[in-house]
Amino acid sequence: MAYQYDPENIFAKILRGEIPNQTVLETEHSLAFRDIHPQAPVHVLVIPKGAYVCYDHFAQAASDAEIVDFNRAIGEVCKREGLEAGGFRLISNAGEAGVQEVPHLHVHILAGRPLGRMLQKA
Ligand code: 5GP
């Protein structure tokens, strides 16, 4: 499948500085910022700077350097937000079944309250 990246998606605009964000961490290849509609006391989005639609696109097409940087960025956000003790959840929605709203890869880091079971019935 060919992944179609839309350069007008909201996270592309954030990366270009066209829309403000509350940055938590910026690295060479990744950006972490607070979700505009937080679902938990801690709700941070981590995105690669590259044009990847979703996790599988990234895992297939990104360079080793980007993949390492992205995963290290997630680890660093968890550390900075002090999530080790209380725990957290990572979510990366993809496509229609995943109900992905923004078509630029992002991992949600959620923490700060009990998050319930992993999935709800649709
Ligand atoms: P998805 O459903 O695609 O996994 O999640 C997209 C997330 O992006 C949602 O949690 C939504 O609140 C967040 N979001 C959408 N627009 C913006 C924005 O302009 N700024 C920030 N910081 N988050 C946004």
Side-chain angles (χ1 to χ4, degrees):
M1 175 189 159
Y3 296 95
Q4 299 288 335
Y5 183 81
D6 172 12
E8 294 309 313
N9 79 76
I10 204 102
F11 293 168
K13 291 180 180 177
I14 284 176
L15 284 167
R16 291 196 295 267
E18 296 166 13
I19 292 176
N21 74 92
Q22 264 188 280
T23 299
V24 174
L25 175 72
E26 182 166 9
T27 65
E28 184 180 0
H29 295 296
S30 309
L31 181 69
F33 54 92
R34 301 204 184 276
D35 196 290
I36 202 166
H37 294 126
Q39 304 293 314
V42 176
H43 190 168
V44 176
L45 301 171
V46 187
I47 68 174
K49 291 181 177 175
Y52 302 104
V53 176
C54 51
Y55 198 94
D56 48 322
H57 184 201
F58 181 70
Q60 291 168 26
S63 68
D64 290 1
E66 290 174 299
I67 289 171
V68 169
D69 183 290
F70 186 65
N71 280 284
R72 293 284 192 209
I74 291 170
E76 182 62 24
V77 170
C78 290
K79 188 175 172 185
R80 289 188 185 189
E81 297 291 309
L83 306 187
E84 187 184 348
F88 59 92
R89 180 170 294 155
L90 302 182
I91 297 174
S92 190
N93 298 315
E96 193 179 340
V99 197
Q100 181 180 8
E101 183 187 317
V102 180
H104 181 113
L105 167 60
H106 49 285
V107 166
H108 299 253
I109 303 177
L110 295 148
R113 67 168 173 82
L115 294 164
R117 300 288 297 174
M118 188 166 63
L119 291 176
Q120 295 176 338
K121 287 182 182 170

